[in-house]
Amino acid sequence: MSKQEQDTLEGLAAQLGCYSPLVREPLSGEQAGELSRLFKAMGDPVRLRLLSLIASHAGGEACVCDLTEVFDLSAPTISHHLKVLREAGLITGERRATWVYYRIEPDVLEALAAVLVPAAPDTVPDGLNTTRPEARRELPVVEA
Amino acid sequence: MSKQEQDTLEGLAAQLGCYSPLVREPLSGEQAGELSRLFKAMGDPVRLRLLSLIASHAGGEACVCDLTEVFDLSAPTISHHLKVLREAGLITGERRATWVYYRIEPDVLEALAAVLVPAAPDTVPDGLNTTRPEARRELPVVEA
DNA sequence: GGCTTGTATCGAGGTCAGTCTAATCAGCCC
DNA sequence: GGGCTGATTAGACTGACCTCGATACAAGCC
């Protein structure tokens, strides 16, 4: 992974952790954009299975060669899907000798899960959520 | 909503509740297909904001007229996105007099969140998860 | 019954995403 | 170095998706 990707990744989970649950208050356009990139990355059955295969694989990581043989798809196609997952920040890849191993970023998955439910208060501290007016400027509050 | 959509919806949350978390074991092709439909529906920033607007709106429901004015998009486009969310089972719509009101299906969101994290055992009872061989036949187990 | 307002559907456009083959890069081994 | 295997990149094709204007439907009001 590139240095830039690493930088992006490190802040991703923390950033998502700052999002209030979907049901608590309207998402800003910016928040929706970032979250939708993650959901879009998971919006493909092949990528979802790849994610699951990597996550559930012994040792928490899986070689690309293990993943390719499960699907009736060409290696470049699998590589493409892995790239999408990687660029979304859901997985990281590392080359060791001949093989490339992928592992998931559990923090990102957990943060994503936290967005979907009315999380407990300690999951989304008030001081970190997005009730700051400047973070919501793009989305007018809609009253009945 | 049509009778068929209602039938589909009623079983959706329960069905998702039977899925083991993504990280516990590989998803079958069938599971991945259903989950990816949901994630794909949320993989658009407009739809994510719609979902959030509906979920966080006073009374737990929002009129289409409330939603349309937030975006710089035509009414048919908003209607289209609402249809996608509706057909995915994430929201339900009901006409009352002139207006149509939408509300979310919290069970589906919660089930989706449960898939993303290594859930506590009581969230995914062993007797209900997908370790049944016939449910996994499409996905060979990949060993190291 | 006509008119107005609120939603949904239809059909078309332009763009994006998934897949492939062919070619390229990265490491190992002879 | 040359060849081999594993993985990615490049380019092209096809199909799906997002958006719109035009149209149709639904409900209330004159």
Side-chain angles (χ1 to χ4, degrees), chain A residues 22-23 25-27 32 35-36 39-40 43 45 48-49 52 56 66 70 113 139 142, chain B residues 22-23 25-27 32 35-36 39-40 42-43 45 48-49 52 56 66 70 139 142:
Chain A
L22 218 53
V23 305
E25 59 178 347
L27 292 171
L35 285 172
S36 68
F39 285 126
K40 184 180 293 184
L48 222 38
R49 290 179 70 186
S52 177
S56 64
D66 295 329
V70 174
L139 190 66
V142 178
Chain B
L22 219 51
V23 305
E25 59 178 346
L27 292 170
L35 285 172
S36 68
F39 285 127
K40 184 181 291 183
M42 303 204 302
L48 222 38
R49 290 180 69 186
S52 177
S56 64
D66 295 329
V70 175
L139 191 66
V142 179

PDB file of all heavy atoms in Angstrom, chain A residues 22-23 25-27 32 35-36 39-40 43 45 48-49 52 56 66 70 113 139 142, chain B residues 22-23 25-27 32 35-36 39-40 42-43 45 48-49 52 56 66 70 139 142:
ATOM      1  N   LEU A  22     -26.933   6.868  12.163  1.00  0.00           N
ATOM      2  CA  LEU A  22     -27.782   7.307  11.059  1.00  0.00           C
ATOM      3  C   LEU A  22     -29.130   7.816  11.540  1.00  0.00           C
ATOM      4  O   LEU A  22     -29.703   8.752  10.974  1.00  0.00           O
ATOM      5  CB  LEU A  22     -28.007   6.089  10.152  1.00  0.00           C
ATOM      6  CG  LEU A  22     -28.042   6.243   8.661  1.00  0.00           C
ATOM      7  CD1 LEU A  22     -26.803   6.962   8.175  1.00  0.00           C
ATOM      8  CD2 LEU A  22     -28.108   4.868   8.038  1.00  0.00           C
ATOM      9  N   VAL A  23     -29.647   7.182  12.592  1.00  0.00           N
ATOM     10  CA  VAL A  23     -31.011   7.471  13.012  1.00  0.00           C
ATOM     11  C   VAL A  23     -31.087   8.648  13.985  1.00  0.00           C
ATOM     12  O   VAL A  23     -32.171   9.078  14.350  1.00  0.00           O
ATOM     13  CB  VAL A  23     -31.660   6.237  13.678  1.00  0.00           C
ATOM     14  CG1 VAL A  23     -31.591   5.049  12.747  1.00  0.00           C
ATOM     15  CG2 VAL A  23     -30.973   5.917  14.990  1.00  0.00           C
ATOM     16  N   GLU A  25     -29.416  11.832  13.743  1.00  0.00           N
ATOM     17  CA  GLU A  25     -29.542  13.131  13.088  1.00  0.00           C
ATOM     18  C   GLU A  25     -29.139  12.993  11.641  1.00  0.00           C
ATOM     19  O   GLU A  25     -28.418  12.067  11.270  1.00  0.00           O
ATOM     20  CB  GLU A  25     -28.650  14.162  13.789  1.00  0.00           C
ATOM     21  CG  GLU A  25     -27.190  13.767  13.774  1.00  0.00           C
ATOM     22  CD  GLU A  25     -26.316  14.825  14.434  1.00  0.00           C
ATOM     23  OE1 GLU A  25     -26.825  15.925  14.657  1.00  0.00           O
ATOM     24  OE2 GLU A  25     -25.147  14.542  14.712  1.00  0.00           O
ATOM     25  N   PRO A  26     -29.629  13.908  10.807  1.00  0.00           N
ATOM     26  CA  PRO A  26     -29.326  13.819   9.369  1.00  0.00           C
ATOM     27  C   PRO A  26     -27.827  13.889   9.108  1.00  0.00           C
ATOM     28  O   PRO A  26     -27.107  14.650   9.740  1.00  0.00           O
ATOM     29  CB  PRO A  26     -30.035  15.050   8.794  1.00  0.00           C
ATOM     30  CG  PRO A  26     -31.089  15.405   9.780  1.00  0.00           C
ATOM     31  CD  PRO A  26     -30.519  15.032  11.118  1.00  0.00           C
ATOM     32  N   LEU A  27     -27.374  13.098   8.176  1.00  0.00           N
ATOM     33  CA  LEU A  27     -25.978  13.136   7.761  1.00  0.00           C
ATOM     34  C   LEU A  27     -25.723  14.379   6.927  1.00  0.00           C
ATOM     35  O   LEU A  27     -26.581  14.819   6.175  1.00  0.00           O
ATOM     36  CB  LEU A  27     -25.652  11.901   6.912  1.00  0.00           C
ATOM     37  CG  LEU A  27     -25.643  10.535   7.580  1.00  0.00           C
ATOM     38  CD1 LEU A  27     -25.530   9.454   6.521  1.00  0.00           C
ATOM     39  CD2 LEU A  27     -24.503  10.422   8.566  1.00  0.00           C
ATOM     40  N   ALA A  32     -22.164  11.672   4.291  1.00  0.00           N
ATOM     41  CA  ALA A  32     -22.845  10.718   3.416  1.00  0.00           C
ATOM     42  C   ALA A  32     -21.924  10.267   2.297  1.00  0.00           C
ATOM     43  O   ALA A  32     -21.925   9.096   1.917  1.00  0.00           O
ATOM     44  CB  ALA A  32     -24.119  11.339   2.847  1.00  0.00           C
ATOM     45  N   LEU A  35     -19.340   7.741   3.857  1.00  0.00           N
ATOM     46  CA  LEU A  35     -19.981   6.474   4.221  1.00  0.00           C
ATOM     47  C   LEU A  35     -20.431   5.713   2.985  1.00  0.00           C
ATOM     48  O   LEU A  35     -20.288   4.493   2.903  1.00  0.00           O
ATOM     49  CB  LEU A  35     -21.188   6.746   5.132  1.00  0.00           C
ATOM     50  CG  LEU A  35     -20.864   7.111   6.569  1.00  0.00           C
ATOM     51  CD1 LEU A  35     -22.126   7.533   7.306  1.00  0.00           C
ATOM     52  CD2 LEU A  35     -20.215   5.935   7.285  1.00  0.00           C
ATOM     53  N   SER A  36     -20.955   6.438   2.005  1.00  0.00           N
ATOM     54  CA  SER A  36     -21.472   5.755   0.821  1.00  0.00           C
ATOM     55  C   SER A  36     -20.337   5.085   0.041  1.00  0.00           C
ATOM     56  O   SER A  36     -20.545   4.053  -0.594  1.00  0.00           O
ATOM     57  CB  SER A  36     -22.230   6.729  -0.071  1.00  0.00           C
ATOM     58  OG  SER A  36     -21.354   7.678  -0.651  1.00  0.00           O
ATOM     59  N   PHE A  39     -19.994   1.760   1.813  1.00  0.00           N
ATOM     60  CA  PHE A  39     -21.112   0.856   1.526  1.00  0.00           C
ATOM     61  C   PHE A  39     -21.095   0.418   0.067  1.00  0.00           C
ATOM     62  O   PHE A  39     -21.422  -0.719  -0.256  1.00  0.00           O
ATOM     63  CB  PHE A  39     -22.437   1.539   1.862  1.00  0.00           C
ATOM     64  CG  PHE A  39     -22.708   1.626   3.338  1.00  0.00           C
ATOM     65  CD1 PHE A  39     -23.000   2.830   3.948  1.00  0.00           C
ATOM     66  CD2 PHE A  39     -22.667   0.481   4.124  1.00  0.00           C
ATOM     67  CE1 PHE A  39     -23.245   2.907   5.307  1.00  0.00           C
ATOM     68  CE2 PHE A  39     -22.919   0.542   5.489  1.00  0.00           C
ATOM     69  CZ  PHE A  39     -23.203   1.770   6.077  1.00  0.00           C
ATOM     70  N   LYS A  40     -20.705   1.320  -0.799  1.00  0.00           N
ATOM     71  CA  LYS A  40     -20.637   0.957  -2.217  1.00  0.00           C
ATOM     72  C   LYS A  40     -19.586  -0.126  -2.435  1.00  0.00           C
ATOM     73  O   LYS A  40     -19.793  -1.055  -3.216  1.00  0.00           O
ATOM     74  CB  LYS A  40     -20.317   2.190  -3.064  1.00  0.00           C
ATOM     75  CG  LYS A  40     -20.328   1.919  -4.544  1.00  0.00           C
ATOM     76  CD  LYS A  40     -20.004   3.155  -5.363  1.00  0.00           C
ATOM     77  CE  LYS A  40     -21.078   4.214  -5.246  1.00  0.00           C
ATOM     78  NZ  LYS A  40     -20.812   5.372  -6.120  1.00  0.00           N
ATOM     79  N   GLY A  43     -21.083  -3.236  -1.687  1.00  0.00           N
ATOM     80  CA  GLY A  43     -22.303  -3.478  -2.443  1.00  0.00           C
ATOM     81  C   GLY A  43     -22.115  -4.383  -3.633  1.00  0.00           C
ATOM     82  O   GLY A  43     -22.791  -4.238  -4.647  1.00  0.00           O
ATOM     83  N   PRO A  45     -21.458  -8.654  -4.399  1.00  0.00           N
ATOM     84  CA  PRO A  45     -21.378  -9.954  -3.733  1.00  0.00           C
ATOM     85  C   PRO A  45     -19.965 -10.532  -3.719  1.00  0.00           C
ATOM     86  O   PRO A  45     -19.574 -11.168  -2.724  1.00  0.00           O
ATOM     87  CB  PRO A  45     -22.340 -10.835  -4.540  1.00  0.00           C
ATOM     88  CG  PRO A  45     -22.667 -10.078  -5.776  1.00  0.00           C
ATOM     89  CD  PRO A  45     -22.457  -8.638  -5.482  1.00  0.00           C
ATOM     90  N   LEU A  48     -18.020  -8.725  -1.018  1.00  0.00           N
ATOM     91  CA  LEU A  48     -18.488  -9.109   0.304  1.00  0.00           C
ATOM     92  C   LEU A  48     -17.937 -10.481   0.690  1.00  0.00           C
ATOM     93  O   LEU A  48     -17.524 -10.699   1.841  1.00  0.00           O
ATOM     94  CB  LEU A  48     -20.021  -9.128   0.301  1.00  0.00           C
ATOM     95  CG  LEU A  48     -20.767  -8.545   1.495  1.00  0.00           C
ATOM     96  CD1 LEU A  48     -20.108  -7.315   2.046  1.00  0.00           C
ATOM     97  CD2 LEU A  48     -22.209  -8.269   1.100  1.00  0.00           C
ATOM     98  N   ARG A  49     -17.912 -11.381  -0.262  1.00  0.00           N
ATOM     99  CA  ARG A  49     -17.357 -12.707   0.021  1.00  0.00           C
ATOM    100  C   ARG A  49     -15.852 -12.636   0.238  1.00  0.00           C
ATOM    101  O   ARG A  49     -15.301 -13.347   1.082  1.00  0.00           O
ATOM    102  CB  ARG A  49     -17.692 -13.681  -1.106  1.00  0.00           C
ATOM    103  CG  ARG A  49     -19.163 -14.046  -1.169  1.00  0.00           C
ATOM    104  CD  ARG A  49     -19.452 -15.002  -2.317  1.00  0.00           C
ATOM    105  NE  ARG A  49     -18.895 -16.333  -2.081  1.00  0.00           N
ATOM    106  CZ  ARG A  49     -18.912 -17.315  -2.998  1.00  0.00           C
ATOM    107  NH1 ARG A  49     -19.452 -17.082  -4.181  1.00  0.00           N
ATOM    108  NH2 ARG A  49     -18.399 -18.478  -2.721  1.00  0.00           N
ATOM    109  N   SER A  52     -15.324 -11.408   3.675  1.00  0.00           N
ATOM    110  CA  SER A  52     -15.638 -12.454   4.629  1.00  0.00           C
ATOM    111  C   SER A  52     -14.568 -13.546   4.635  1.00  0.00           C
ATOM    112  O   SER A  52     -14.176 -14.044   5.690  1.00  0.00           O
ATOM    113  CB  SER A  52     -17.001 -13.043   4.290  1.00  0.00           C
ATOM    114  OG  SER A  52     -17.313 -14.108   5.152  1.00  0.00           O
ATOM    115  N   SER A  56     -12.383 -14.223   7.958  1.00  0.00           N
ATOM    116  CA  SER A  56     -12.587 -15.480   8.679  1.00  0.00           C
ATOM    117  C   SER A  56     -11.448 -16.459   8.456  1.00  0.00           C
ATOM    118  O   SER A  56     -11.464 -17.557   9.006  1.00  0.00           O
ATOM    119  CB  SER A  56     -13.904 -16.110   8.237  1.00  0.00           C
ATOM    120  OG  SER A  56     -13.855 -16.465   6.869  1.00  0.00           O
ATOM    121  N   ASP A  66      -5.350 -17.981  -2.328  1.00  0.00           N
ATOM    122  CA  ASP A  66      -6.459 -18.654  -1.653  1.00  0.00           C
ATOM    123  C   ASP A  66      -7.802 -18.104  -2.111  1.00  0.00           C
ATOM    124  O   ASP A  66      -8.785 -18.828  -2.219  1.00  0.00           O
ATOM    125  CB  ASP A  66      -6.357 -18.473  -0.132  1.00  0.00           C
ATOM    126  CG  ASP A  66      -5.128 -19.160   0.451  1.00  0.00           C
ATOM    127  OD1 ASP A  66      -4.728 -20.192  -0.112  1.00  0.00           O
ATOM    128  OD2 ASP A  66      -4.600 -18.661   1.455  1.00  0.00           O
ATOM    129  N   VAL A  70     -11.528 -19.656  -5.135  1.00  0.00           N
ATOM    130  CA  VAL A  70     -12.899 -19.828  -4.656  1.00  0.00           C
ATOM    131  C   VAL A  70     -13.901 -19.389  -5.722  1.00  0.00           C
ATOM    132  O   VAL A  70     -14.996 -19.936  -5.828  1.00  0.00           O
ATOM    133  CB  VAL A  70     -13.122 -19.019  -3.363  1.00  0.00           C
ATOM    134  CG1 VAL A  70     -14.577 -19.077  -2.934  1.00  0.00           C
ATOM    135  CG2 VAL A  70     -12.215 -19.542  -2.257  1.00  0.00           C
ATOM    136  N   ALA A 113     -20.602  -0.400  11.653  1.00  0.00           N
ATOM    137  CA  ALA A 113     -21.719  -1.008  12.365  1.00  0.00           C
ATOM    138  C   ALA A 113     -22.325  -0.018  13.355  1.00  0.00           C
ATOM    139  O   ALA A 113     -23.547   0.052  13.519  1.00  0.00           O
ATOM    140  CB  ALA A 113     -21.252  -2.269  13.089  1.00  0.00           C
ATOM    141  N   LEU A 139     -26.555  20.566   5.266  1.00  0.00           N
ATOM    142  CA  LEU A 139     -27.836  19.882   5.365  1.00  0.00           C
ATOM    143  C   LEU A 139     -28.792  20.628   6.283  1.00  0.00           C
ATOM    144  O   LEU A 139     -28.702  20.530   7.501  1.00  0.00           O
ATOM    145  CB  LEU A 139     -27.607  18.468   5.915  1.00  0.00           C
ATOM    146  CG  LEU A 139     -28.806  17.557   5.853  1.00  0.00           C
ATOM    147  CD1 LEU A 139     -29.168  17.275   4.404  1.00  0.00           C
ATOM    148  CD2 LEU A 139     -28.514  16.268   6.567  1.00  0.00           C
ATOM    149  N   VAL A 142     -34.695  19.623   8.707  1.00  0.00           N
ATOM    150  CA  VAL A 142     -36.051  19.582   8.181  1.00  0.00           C
ATOM    151  C   VAL A 142     -37.031  19.383   9.322  1.00  0.00           C
ATOM    152  O   VAL A 142     -36.978  18.366  10.006  1.00  0.00           O
ATOM    153  CB  VAL A 142     -36.209  18.433   7.164  1.00  0.00           C
ATOM    154  CG1 VAL A 142     -37.629  18.371   6.654  1.00  0.00           C
ATOM    155  CG2 VAL A 142     -35.242  18.633   6.019  1.00  0.00           C
TER     156      VAL A 142
ATOM    157  N   LEU B  22     -19.647 -11.346   9.482  1.00  0.00           N
ATOM    158  CA  LEU B  22     -18.756 -11.430   8.328  1.00  0.00           C
ATOM    159  C   LEU B  22     -17.420 -12.066   8.679  1.00  0.00           C
ATOM    160  O   LEU B  22     -16.824 -12.783   7.878  1.00  0.00           O
ATOM    161  CB  LEU B  22     -18.508 -10.001   7.845  1.00  0.00           C
ATOM    162  CG  LEU B  22     -18.439  -9.695   6.377  1.00  0.00           C
ATOM    163  CD1 LEU B  22     -19.634 -10.255   5.659  1.00  0.00           C
ATOM    164  CD2 LEU B  22     -18.364  -8.196   6.193  1.00  0.00           C
ATOM    165  N   VAL B  23     -16.950 -11.801   9.881  1.00  0.00           N
ATOM    166  CA  VAL B  23     -15.597 -12.199  10.243  1.00  0.00           C
ATOM    167  C   VAL B  23     -15.543 -13.607  10.823  1.00  0.00           C
ATOM    168  O   VAL B  23     -14.462 -14.140  11.073  1.00  0.00           O
ATOM    169  CB  VAL B  23     -14.975 -11.230  11.275  1.00  0.00           C
ATOM    170  CG1 VAL B  23     -15.040  -9.812  10.739  1.00  0.00           C
ATOM    171  CG2 VAL B  23     -15.716 -11.315  12.588  1.00  0.00           C
ATOM    172  N   GLU B  25     -17.186 -16.586   9.592  1.00  0.00           N
ATOM    173  CA  GLU B  25     -17.031 -17.625   8.583  1.00  0.00           C
ATOM    174  C   GLU B  25     -17.387 -17.055   7.223  1.00  0.00           C
ATOM    175  O   GLU B  25     -18.103 -16.061   7.135  1.00  0.00           O
ATOM    176  CB  GLU B  25     -17.929 -18.815   8.903  1.00  0.00           C
ATOM    177  CG  GLU B  25     -19.397 -18.432   8.973  1.00  0.00           C
ATOM    178  CD  GLU B  25     -20.294 -19.635   9.243  1.00  0.00           C
ATOM    179  OE1 GLU B  25     -19.804 -20.759   9.106  1.00  0.00           O
ATOM    180  OE2 GLU B  25     -21.466 -19.431   9.569  1.00  0.00           O
ATOM    181  N   PRO B  26     -16.895 -17.682   6.166  1.00  0.00           N
ATOM    182  CA  PRO B  26     -17.143 -17.157   4.814  1.00  0.00           C
ATOM    183  C   PRO B  26     -18.629 -17.128   4.502  1.00  0.00           C
ATOM    184  O   PRO B  26     -19.372 -18.037   4.876  1.00  0.00           O
ATOM    185  CB  PRO B  26     -16.417 -18.160   3.913  1.00  0.00           C
ATOM    186  CG  PRO B  26     -15.398 -18.809   4.786  1.00  0.00           C
ATOM    187  CD  PRO B  26     -16.011 -18.854   6.147  1.00  0.00           C
ATOM    188  N   LEU B  27     -19.060 -16.085   3.830  1.00  0.00           N
ATOM    189  CA  LEU B  27     -20.445 -15.987   3.385  1.00  0.00           C
ATOM    190  C   LEU B  27     -20.668 -16.914   2.203  1.00  0.00           C
ATOM    191  O   LEU B  27     -19.783 -17.111   1.379  1.00  0.00           O
ATOM    192  CB  LEU B  27     -20.752 -14.555   2.944  1.00  0.00           C
ATOM    193  CG  LEU B  27     -20.780 -13.455   3.992  1.00  0.00           C
ATOM    194  CD1 LEU B  27     -20.865 -12.102   3.301  1.00  0.00           C
ATOM    195  CD2 LEU B  27     -21.951 -13.634   4.920  1.00  0.00           C
ATOM    196  N   ALA B  32     -24.162 -13.516   0.390  1.00  0.00           N
ATOM    197  CA  ALA B  32     -23.451 -12.347  -0.129  1.00  0.00           C
ATOM    198  C   ALA B  32     -24.341 -11.569  -1.093  1.00  0.00           C
ATOM    199  O   ALA B  32     -24.343 -10.335  -1.104  1.00  0.00           O
ATOM    200  CB  ALA B  32     -22.162 -12.783  -0.824  1.00  0.00           C
ATOM    201  N   LEU B  35     -26.986  -9.614   1.057  1.00  0.00           N
ATOM    202  CA  LEU B  35     -26.361  -8.522   1.806  1.00  0.00           C
ATOM    203  C   LEU B  35     -25.875  -7.428   0.866  1.00  0.00           C
ATOM    204  O   LEU B  35     -26.022  -6.239   1.159  1.00  0.00           O
ATOM    205  CB  LEU B  35     -25.181  -9.058   2.625  1.00  0.00           C
ATOM    206  CG  LEU B  35     -25.536  -9.841   3.881  1.00  0.00           C
ATOM    207  CD1 LEU B  35     -24.296 -10.477   4.485  1.00  0.00           C
ATOM    208  CD2 LEU B  35     -26.210  -8.937   4.900  1.00  0.00           C
ATOM    209  N   SER B  36     -25.325  -7.830  -0.259  1.00  0.00           N
ATOM    210  CA  SER B  36     -24.780  -6.821  -1.174  1.00  0.00           C
ATOM    211  C   SER B  36     -25.887  -5.945  -1.748  1.00  0.00           C
ATOM    212  O   SER B  36     -25.665  -4.767  -2.035  1.00  0.00           O
ATOM    213  CB  SER B  36     -23.996  -7.494  -2.300  1.00  0.00           C
ATOM    214  OG  SER B  36     -24.859  -8.222  -3.148  1.00  0.00           O
ATOM    215  N   PHE B  39     -26.300  -3.301   0.927  1.00  0.00           N
ATOM    216  CA  PHE B  39     -25.180  -2.365   0.967  1.00  0.00           C
ATOM    217  C   PHE B  39     -25.156  -1.508  -0.298  1.00  0.00           C
ATOM    218  O   PHE B  39     -24.820  -0.323  -0.256  1.00  0.00           O
ATOM    219  CB  PHE B  39     -23.855  -3.121   1.121  1.00  0.00           C
ATOM    220  CG  PHE B  39     -23.631  -3.642   2.505  1.00  0.00           C
ATOM    221  CD1 PHE B  39     -23.334  -4.974   2.732  1.00  0.00           C
ATOM    222  CD2 PHE B  39     -23.714  -2.791   3.598  1.00  0.00           C
ATOM    223  CE1 PHE B  39     -23.128  -5.453   4.013  1.00  0.00           C
ATOM    224  CE2 PHE B  39     -23.514  -3.262   4.882  1.00  0.00           C
ATOM    225  CZ  PHE B  39     -23.226  -4.599   5.087  1.00  0.00           C
ATOM    226  N   LYS B  40     -25.518  -2.106  -1.421  1.00  0.00           N
ATOM    227  CA  LYS B  40     -25.536  -1.332  -2.660  1.00  0.00           C
ATOM    228  C   LYS B  40     -26.579  -0.218  -2.583  1.00  0.00           C
ATOM    229  O   LYS B  40     -26.351   0.900  -3.036  1.00  0.00           O
ATOM    230  CB  LYS B  40     -25.833  -2.253  -3.853  1.00  0.00           C
ATOM    231  CG  LYS B  40     -25.768  -1.543  -5.186  1.00  0.00           C
ATOM    232  CD  LYS B  40     -26.094  -2.470  -6.349  1.00  0.00           C
ATOM    233  CE  LYS B  40     -25.002  -3.495  -6.554  1.00  0.00           C
ATOM    234  NZ  LYS B  40     -25.258  -4.362  -7.737  1.00  0.00           N
ATOM    235  N   MET B  42     -27.355   1.334  -0.023  1.00  0.00           N
ATOM    236  CA  MET B  42     -26.807   2.397   0.828  1.00  0.00           C
ATOM    237  C   MET B  42     -25.530   2.978   0.244  1.00  0.00           C
ATOM    238  O   MET B  42     -24.932   3.882   0.830  1.00  0.00           O
ATOM    239  CB  MET B  42     -26.540   1.849   2.221  1.00  0.00           C
ATOM    240  CG  MET B  42     -27.797   1.260   2.853  1.00  0.00           C
ATOM    241  SD  MET B  42     -27.736   1.226   4.636  1.00  0.00           S
ATOM    242  CE  MET B  42     -26.295   0.270   4.931  1.00  0.00           C
ATOM    243  N   GLY B  43     -25.123   2.497  -0.897  1.00  0.00           N
ATOM    244  CA  GLY B  43     -23.884   2.955  -1.501  1.00  0.00           C
ATOM    245  C   GLY B  43     -24.034   4.188  -2.365  1.00  0.00           C
ATOM    246  O   GLY B  43     -23.301   4.374  -3.329  1.00  0.00           O
ATOM    247  N   PRO B  45     -24.689   8.463  -1.836  1.00  0.00           N
ATOM    248  CA  PRO B  45     -24.788   9.508  -0.809  1.00  0.00           C
ATOM    249  C   PRO B  45     -26.198  10.077  -0.664  1.00  0.00           C
ATOM    250  O   PRO B  45     -26.626  10.371   0.456  1.00  0.00           O
ATOM    251  CB  PRO B  45     -23.799  10.576  -1.283  1.00  0.00           C
ATOM    252  CG  PRO B  45     -23.439  10.227  -2.677  1.00  0.00           C
ATOM    253  CD  PRO B  45     -23.660   8.767  -2.839  1.00  0.00           C
ATOM    254  N   LEU B  48     -28.228   7.544   1.293  1.00  0.00           N
ATOM    255  CA  LEU B  48     -27.803   7.508   2.685  1.00  0.00           C
ATOM    256  C   LEU B  48     -28.367   8.699   3.446  1.00  0.00           C
ATOM    257  O   LEU B  48     -28.816   8.578   4.593  1.00  0.00           O
ATOM    258  CB  LEU B  48     -26.270   7.516   2.728  1.00  0.00           C
ATOM    259  CG  LEU B  48     -25.563   6.607   3.719  1.00  0.00           C
ATOM    260  CD1 LEU B  48     -26.245   5.269   3.875  1.00  0.00           C
ATOM    261  CD2 LEU B  48     -24.110   6.440   3.334  1.00  0.00           C
ATOM    262  N   ARG B  49     -28.374   9.849   2.808  1.00  0.00           N
ATOM    263  CA  ARG B  49     -28.935  11.029   3.464  1.00  0.00           C
ATOM    264  C   ARG B  49     -30.449  10.906   3.591  1.00  0.00           C
ATOM    265  O   ARG B  49     -31.027  11.324   4.602  1.00  0.00           O
ATOM    266  CB  ARG B  49     -28.558  12.296   2.688  1.00  0.00           C
ATOM    267  CG  ARG B  49     -27.093  12.651   2.791  1.00  0.00           C
ATOM    268  CD  ARG B  49     -26.760  13.898   2.007  1.00  0.00           C
ATOM    269  NE  ARG B  49     -27.340  15.100   2.589  1.00  0.00           N
ATOM    270  CZ  ARG B  49     -27.290  16.300   2.010  1.00  0.00           C
ATOM    271  NH1 ARG B  49     -26.698  16.439   0.850  1.00  0.00           N
ATOM    272  NH2 ARG B  49     -27.828  17.349   2.597  1.00  0.00           N
ATOM    273  N   SER B  52     -31.066   8.700   6.473  1.00  0.00           N
ATOM    274  CA  SER B  52     -30.790   9.410   7.711  1.00  0.00           C
ATOM    275  C   SER B  52     -31.861  10.453   8.009  1.00  0.00           C
ATOM    276  O   SER B  52     -32.280  10.623   9.160  1.00  0.00           O
ATOM    277  CB  SER B  52     -29.412  10.071   7.608  1.00  0.00           C
ATOM    278  OG  SER B  52     -29.124  10.816   8.755  1.00  0.00           O
ATOM    279  N   SER B  56     -34.145  10.087  11.323  1.00  0.00           N
ATOM    280  CA  SER B  56     -33.965  11.069  12.394  1.00  0.00           C
ATOM    281  C   SER B  56     -35.096  12.086  12.436  1.00  0.00           C
ATOM    282  O   SER B  56     -35.107  12.964  13.293  1.00  0.00           O
ATOM    283  CB  SER B  56     -32.635  11.810  12.197  1.00  0.00           C
ATOM    284  OG  SER B  56     -32.649  12.549  10.997  1.00  0.00           O
ATOM    285  N   ASP B  66     -40.853  16.823   2.464  1.00  0.00           N
ATOM    286  CA  ASP B  66     -39.772  17.249   3.344  1.00  0.00           C
ATOM    287  C   ASP B  66     -38.413  16.864   2.771  1.00  0.00           C
ATOM    288  O   ASP B  66     -37.432  17.587   2.921  1.00  0.00           O
ATOM    289  CB  ASP B  66     -39.917  16.602   4.731  1.00  0.00           C
ATOM    290  CG  ASP B  66     -41.166  17.062   5.460  1.00  0.00           C
ATOM    291  OD1 ASP B  66     -41.567  18.218   5.234  1.00  0.00           O
ATOM    292  OD2 ASP B  66     -41.721  16.275   6.234  1.00  0.00           O
ATOM    293  N   VAL B  70     -34.592  19.225   0.478  1.00  0.00           N
ATOM    294  CA  VAL B  70     -33.235  19.240   1.019  1.00  0.00           C
ATOM    295  C   VAL B  70     -32.193  19.140  -0.099  1.00  0.00           C
ATOM    296  O   VAL B  70     -31.110  19.685  -0.007  1.00  0.00           O
ATOM    297  CB  VAL B  70     -33.048  18.080   2.013  1.00  0.00           C
ATOM    298  CG1 VAL B  70     -31.601  18.013   2.487  1.00  0.00           C
ATOM    299  CG2 VAL B  70     -33.990  18.246   3.193  1.00  0.00           C
ATOM    300  N   LEU B 139     -19.766 -22.388  -1.245  1.00  0.00           N
ATOM    301  CA  LEU B 139     -18.492 -21.761  -0.913  1.00  0.00           C
ATOM    302  C   LEU B 139     -17.550 -22.762  -0.257  1.00  0.00           C
ATOM    303  O   LEU B 139     -17.675 -23.067   0.924  1.00  0.00           O
ATOM    304  CB  LEU B 139     -18.730 -20.599   0.045  1.00  0.00           C
ATOM    305  CG  LEU B 139     -17.528 -19.703   0.274  1.00  0.00           C
ATOM    306  CD1 LEU B 139     -17.175 -18.990  -1.022  1.00  0.00           C
ATOM    307  CD2 LEU B 139     -17.838 -18.692   1.345  1.00  0.00           C
ATOM    308  N   VAL B 142     -11.736 -22.503   2.543  1.00  0.00           N
ATOM    309  CA  VAL B 142     -10.356 -22.289   2.125  1.00  0.00           C
ATOM    310  C   VAL B 142      -9.438 -22.431   3.329  1.00  0.00           C
ATOM    311  O   VAL B 142      -9.536 -21.665   4.279  1.00  0.00           O
ATOM    312  CB  VAL B 142     -10.183 -20.887   1.510  1.00  0.00           C
ATOM    313  CG1 VAL B 142      -8.735 -20.684   1.114  1.00  0.00           C
ATOM    314  CG2 VAL B 142     -11.103 -20.732   0.329  1.00  0.00           C
TER     315      VAL B 142
END
